[in-house]
Amino acid sequence: MKLYHFLMELLFPPKCVLCRQLLKTGETDLCGSCRADAPEYPNRKIKLQFLDSFAAVWYYEGNVRASLLRYKFHNARSYSASYGRILAMKLLREYPDGFDVLTWVPVSRLRKLRRGYDQVELLAKAVGKELGMTPVPTLKKIRNNRPQSRLKGAEARRANVLGAYRILENTDVKGKRVALLDDILTTGATAGECARVLLSAGAKEVHCAAMAAARK
């Protein structure tokens, strides 16, 4: 196994997940420059529609935006391990009391079929590995609505996702504190709709955490 990892690193040397520069000895996931200069998102924010709070690692701009677009649309699914380590650290800092349930915002069956993977599910599994938790699917996307990125304005985005999610059968979130993961938060409409469904199913609290969020 050690030989395998040695050969893999020889053939595919690790690169910074943001700028794609080769990592130096002792660096993990991010190069020193990106670790220092990536646009860090401030501490968690309280209250977004139906969410008790939300947190993000970075602002969605520059190399962060380019990295997440590669991950989401260009099959850079290997980024999930790095993202998972980074987001798990954010959760440990912002939510020291932890959660009862770790779940994620799912993509539709059609989008997963076309893309070949659910990028947030991969992220949730990576975060769960770091936190020692097993992520649980709680939601199903029942409507293949227009991509939120093509819509302008919070109202249009909220209308676009209204009724798009349903709680999965045999899901038990009653009285529980839920961590809802997503890759990108813009207006928060999608996360808010998912939170509404989870709260309707009896969740006590729903907190969202994402890799990046819009600056506005």
Side-chain angles (χ1 to χ4, degrees):
M1 187 60 71
K2 289 183 179 179
L3 178 61
Y4 170 78
H5 287 300
F6 171 78
L7 291 174
M8 289 299 291
E9 288 196 4
L10 191 63
L11 294 170
F12 306 101
K15 296 179 180 180
C16 174
V17 74
L18 295 186
C19 71
R20 294 190 283 186
Q21 294 296 312
L22 291 176
L23 295 177
K24 298 177 181 178
T25 302
E27 292 180 336
T28 303
D29 303 323
L30 300 172
C31 68
S33 178
C34 285
R35 193 172 292 277
D37 298 334
E40 186 176 353
Y41 202 80
N43 294 340
R44 62 173 161 158
K45 305 292 185 180
I46 305 301
K47 288 293 182 185
L48 193 61
Q49 190 174 35
F50 299 113
L51 290 166
D52 289 276
S53 74
F54 69 95
V57 177
W58 299 300
Y59 282 113
Y60 183 56
E61 58 193 38
N63 283 338
V64 172
R65 181 178 183 275
S67 176
L68 283 163
L69 290 177
R70 290 194 300 271
Y71 176 60
K72 190 169 183 175
F73 298 114
H74 299 288
N75 202 32
R77 63 182 81 184
S78 62
Y79 286 11
S80 62
S82 294
Y83 287 163
R85 285 187 286 268
I86 295 166
L87 185 54
M89 290 300 297
K90 180 74 173 184
L91 285 167
L92 288 171
R93 289 195 303 269
E94 298 289 339
Y95 302 97
D97 294 333
F99 297 95
D100 302 309
V101 176
L102 179 66
T103 190
W104 66 93
V105 175
V107 299
S108 68
R109 181 180 298 180
L110 178 60
R111 198 154 292 159
K112 184 175 181 179
L113 182 65
R114 287 175 175 172
R115 191 172 296 163
Y117 58 102
D118 180 336
Q119 78 279 358
V120 192
E121 180 181 4
L122 293 181
L123 175 63
K125 288 179 178 179
V127 170
K129 181 179 179 181
E130 298 299 317
L131 297 180
M133 296 180 68
T134 301
V136 178
T138 58
L139 299 163
K140 179 181 181 181
K141 193 168 188 183
I142 58 174
R143 183 161 54 81
N144 191 43
N145 55 309
R146 293 177 63 192
Q148 292 286 80
S149 58
R150 296 180 186 175
L151 300 173
K152 293 183 178 181
E155 290 299 328
R157 289 177 180 238
R158 279 195 290 269
N160 189 48
V161 294
L162 185 63
Y165 298 89
R166 180 181 297 166
I167 200 80
L168 287 172
E169 292 184 14
N170 302 317
T171 294
D172 180 17
V173 293
K174 290 182 180 178
K176 295 182 179 179
R177 195 167 189 246
V178 179
L180 175 70
L181 302 187
D182 205 353
D183 53 353
I184 304 162
L185 273 174
T186 46
T187 63
T190 299
E193 176 64 11
C194 289
R196 184 188 68 80
V197 175
L198 289 165
L199 291 169
S200 296
K204 180 182 178 182
E205 299 174 10
V206 181
H207 303 265
C208 183
M211 290 307 303
R215 190 173 285 273
K216 293 182 180 180

